[in-house]
Amino acid sequence: MSPKRTPLAVVILLATAVLTPTAARAEPVAQAAPDIPLANVQAHLEQFQAIATANGGNRAHGRPGYRASLDFVKARLDAAGYRTTVQQFTASGATGYNLIADWPGGNPDDVLMLGGHLDSVSAGPGVNDNGSGSAGILEVALAVAREGFQPQRHLRFGWWGAEELNLVGSTYYVENLPAAERSRIKAYLNFDMIGSPNPGYFVYSASGQPAGSLALQETLQAALAVPTELTSVGGRSDHAAFARAGIPVGGLFTGAEVTKTSAQAQKWGGTAGVAFDRCYHRSCDTTANIDATALDRNSDAIAQALWTLAGAGATPGPRFENTTDVPIPDLSTAESAITVSGVPGNAPAALGLGVDITHTFRGDLVIDLLAPDGSSYRVKGSSADGGDDLVTTYTVNASTEVANGTWRLRVQDVARQDVGRINGWSLQF
């Protein structure tokens, strides 16, 4: 949060399955928000800390730690099926970047946007300010992909650069949107510092904000599992540019340099007479500077607000799977097939591709989904990722493909020494 200021392949192994899809529900049912795993959010924070440690102790605008942070977030979103864009700007003589991620589907004229700043101050790693908000938003975005959520509204996420230099990145984004594009953003939710070590539970007040902000305030109040207080954040964070453009805004905040009162300590716990975040804008804003309970509650609240505001999407379609094991020998290609039938029309724009692969070096793997007509969709390239196994869900825009027919999962091992197997995979229509 900114300081207070004015406002190659030689062997092909094949397994084929023709399976009966899981029955779809007859009535549309609103989808409840999933629980956001705290461990996942904390893992993102560990990454931000490691990036800062390897890059002079910070993730500030114009420093290598900022771009490394952006690249980390972007890679996770790309793998999950988001359409990502890196927007470049200049501030204080240095190049800055915003990261925008769009989830395929939803009404393009009714955009729900969530965001927070990704940069730190130069004095420290910025794990709470604002690694916490950035990590919470990232994990909620990944949950959207894991759930195959298809809401009525179009979902967009933003990670802003140079917030600590007076909200430069978010302001650049809003001011450079054509008027027609700005008008499509119907709500913006901001998450800046959601894991303060002596936390409060603050919701941005709708007072003085554009019409429609009250509904966002009330949704966020309901989403948190504890009593809340309203706070006037003014021009301290990235919602400000959206508000100036007349876009309804809301947000969550666990406090910065202000001291917690006795009444607040009685209500929320913690220590009265001590700042909500004693390490605000300091070198001690590390992974040790996070209250796990606050981080968990706020991350769940972000998800609940998104699911509530995004509108119930279509009832999930049928799911097909193949659970036959297929070996992936070294330097070879393995394929597994699923035959889809009984699905009218084309595949969805957010076709869920679930994979369960055991492998001793997943960075060796290149994965493609092949449609019935042979069209290929690359979902994963090779990388330096030294982890083992791959259990995840990708999202594929297969809306130009006829749904019925034989779909194939192609997994290539493109480097020496490591082997594995396809344990199973699925398609969620």
Side-chain angles (χ1 to χ4, degrees):
M1 177 168 283
S2 292
K4 202 160 191 175
R5 61 172 68 89
T6 301
L8 266 201
V10 292
V11 179
I12 294 182
L13 302 158
L14 178 65
T16 305
V18 181
L19 298 111
T20 302
T22 303
R25 291 171 288 185
E27 297 293 332
V29 177
Q31 299 182 51
D35 177 71
I36 301 303
L38 173 62
N40 291 7
V41 184
Q42 291 172 319
H44 302 327
L45 293 181
E46 294 285 353
Q47 286 290 330
F48 291 144
Q49 177 70 69
I51 287 168
T53 300
N55 290 281
N58 66 71
R59 303 180 300 102
H61 165 75
R63 308 290 181 88
Y66 178 75
R67 184 57 198 245
S69 298
L70 183 144
D71 289 343
F72 162 70
V73 175
K74 184 178 185 299
R76 296 300 308 272
L77 295 165
D78 287 341
Y82 280 84
R83 299 193 299 262
T84 60
T85 303
V86 176
Q87 182 183 47
Q88 184 172 314
F89 59 87
T90 301
S92 299
T95 301
Y97 307 92
N98 294 324
L99 174 62
I100 311 300
D102 286 87
W103 180 240
N107 183 351
D109 293 321
D110 185 5
V111 177
L112 171 64
M113 189 167 189
L114 289 73
H117 75 92
L118 185 58
D119 64 317
S120 75
V121 293
S122 59
V127 173
N128 187 37
D129 184 16
N130 181 40
S132 61
S134 293
I137 299 165
L138 172 58
E139 190 56 34
V140 169
L142 296 177
V144 167
R146 286 194 299 267
E147 297 289 316
F149 189 37
Q150 298 177 41
Q152 294 172 352
R153 305 176 87 171
H154 180 76
L155 300 180
R156 181 175 298 160
F157 300 83
W159 287 264
W160 312 117
E163 187 267 0
E164 301 290 3
L165 299 183
N166 201 8
L167 317 178
V168 177
S170 56
T171 301
Y172 183 88
Y173 173 76
V174 174
E175 293 185 351
N176 284 275
L177 279 174
E181 289 299 316
R182 281 200 305 271
S183 69
R184 292 186 173 103
I185 303 176
K186 306 303 184 184
Y188 173 78
L189 299 178
N190 194 65
F191 304 100
D192 189 351
M193 302 178 66
I194 63 167
S196 298
N198 189 30
Y201 294 89
F202 299 102
V203 176
Y204 290 15
S205 172
S207 179
Q209 301 295 354
S213 297
L214 181 58
L216 305 183
Q217 172 197 304
E218 292 174 342
T219 297
L220 289 165
Q221 288 176 294
L224 272 170
V226 293
T228 62
E229 289 184 11
L230 298 180
T231 185
S232 178
V233 184
R236 293 191 68 182
S237 197
D238 294 295
H239 65 291
F242 293 85
R244 287 195 299 270
I247 297 168
V249 295
L252 298 176
F253 177 45
T254 53
E257 77 280 14
V258 173
T259 300
K260 177 179 280 188
T261 68
S262 296
Q264 290 170 329
Q266 185 173 6
K267 177 167 51 180
W268 294 323
T271 307
V274 175
F276 294 103
D277 185 355
R278 288 176 292 181
C279 290
Y280 176 65
H281 284 187
R282 297 174 59 192
S283 61
C284 55
D285 187 9
T286 66
T287 50
N289 190 47
I290 291 288
D291 182 86
T293 300
L295 184 68
D296 192 21
R297 285 171 173 165
N298 279 273
S299 298
D300 286 339
I302 295 171
Q304 186 58 59
L306 182 150
W307 256 258
T308 299
L309 294 167
T315 302
R319 182 176 183 273
F320 300 79
E321 65 178 359
N322 186 342
T323 59
T324 303
D325 288 354
V326 182
I328 309 171
D330 198 23
L331 289 172
S332 67
T333 295
E335 287 191 0
S336 180
I338 291 175
T339 298
V340 174
S341 62
V343 180
N346 284 7
L351 177 65
L353 168 60
V355 299
D356 181 349
I357 296 173
T358 296
H359 201 270
T360 51
F361 194 94
R362 63 188 178 217
D364 289 358
L365 300 180
V366 175
I367 304 176
D368 298 281
L369 177 66
L370 279 63
D373 68 355
S375 299
S376 178
Y377 296 84
R378 174 68 46 88
V379 298
K380 181 191 178 301
S382 61
S383 69
D385 182 357
D388 55 7
D389 302 342
L390 188 62
V391 182
T392 191
T393 299
Y394 300 101
T395 302
V396 180
N397 184 351
S399 57
T400 63
E401 306 291 343
V402 174
N404 292 333
T406 299
W407 297 74
R408 289 176 292 156
L409 180 71
R410 175 177 292 170
V411 181
Q412 302 176 69
D413 184 307
V414 298
R416 295 187 182 279
Q417 296 184 349
D418 295 278
V419 298
R421 69 176 180 274
I422 304 171
N423 300 309
W425 66 291
S426 64
L427 290 173
Q428 175 69 61
F429 286 83

